[in-house]
């Protein structure tokens, strides 16, 4: 709860208190399309709470429109167990909907977490977004 007396909700009426239910989101997501592939560039933290929820809703909303998705993780500073669990849940969702999800350019922290927990092998991981896109386009043409 934040108390503020200098702001006004309506002219002439002082704000007595303000309740910020959700703290500032520490994850930004940029979505780009390259032909039929959606690329989601993640920057910040993928951790329990609003950040995991934002990633979940954003990616889940893309699957009906995009059959292939690349998560670019080079600017992810940290990821906890909830973030890792969400990546696995999104991978399962993608597979259930007949879609693919690739990881591209994971940061050192993300790569170490994937390797430490031994789930790196569950994902198709590429060194760069361009590598992931090249593979996605090659598979799309082969079909």
């Amino acid at each position: 709860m934040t108390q503020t007396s200098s702001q006004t909700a309506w002219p002439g009426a002082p704000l007595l208190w303000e309740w910020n239910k959700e703290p500032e989101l520490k994850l930004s997501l940029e979505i780009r399309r390259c032909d039929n592939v959606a690329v989601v560039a993640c920057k910040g933290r993928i951790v329990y709470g609003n950040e995991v929820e934002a990633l979940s809703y954003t990616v889940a909303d893309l699957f009906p429109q995009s059959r292939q998705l690349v998560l670019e993780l080079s600017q992810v500073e940290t990821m906890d167990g909830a973030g890792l669990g969400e990546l696995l849940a999104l991978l399962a969702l993608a597979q259930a909907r007949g879609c693919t999800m690739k990881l591209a350019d994971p940061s050192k922290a993300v790569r170490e977490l994937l390797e430490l927990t031994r789930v790196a092998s569950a994902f198709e991981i590429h060194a760069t977004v361009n590598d992931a896109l090249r593979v996605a386009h090659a598979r799309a043409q082969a079909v």
Side-chain angles (χ1 to χ4, degrees), residues 12-26:
L15 179 64
L16 299 177
W17 61 274
E18 180 180 62
W19 181 34
N20 291 325
K21 182 178 175 186
E22 296 183 19
E24 183 179 322
L25 195 63
K26 303 231 180 335

Side-chain angles (χ1 to χ4, degrees), residues 79-124:
M79 181 184 299
D80 65 4
L84 182 61
E86 189 57 36
L87 287 185
L88 289 165
L90 290 170
L91 178 63
L93 177 64
Q95 292 169 342
R97 293 186 176 177
C99 302
T100 63
M101 185 178 91
K102 300 168 182 21
L103 305 183
D105 196 12
S107 65
K108 181 181 178 191
V110 172
R111 182 169 289 283
E112 287 175 353
L113 181 62
L114 292 169
E115 291 170 358
L116 179 68
T117 56
R118 299 184 184 198
V119 298
S121 61
F123 296 98
E124 188 176 326

Side-chain angles (χ1 to χ4, degrees), residues 8 15 33 35 39-40 53 56 60 89 93-94 97 102 140-141:
T8 58
L15 179 64
R33 293 204 187 273
D35 296 328
V39 178
V40 179
E53 188 176 333
S56 178
L93 177 64
R97 293 186 176 177
K102 300 168 182 21
Q141 291 175 354

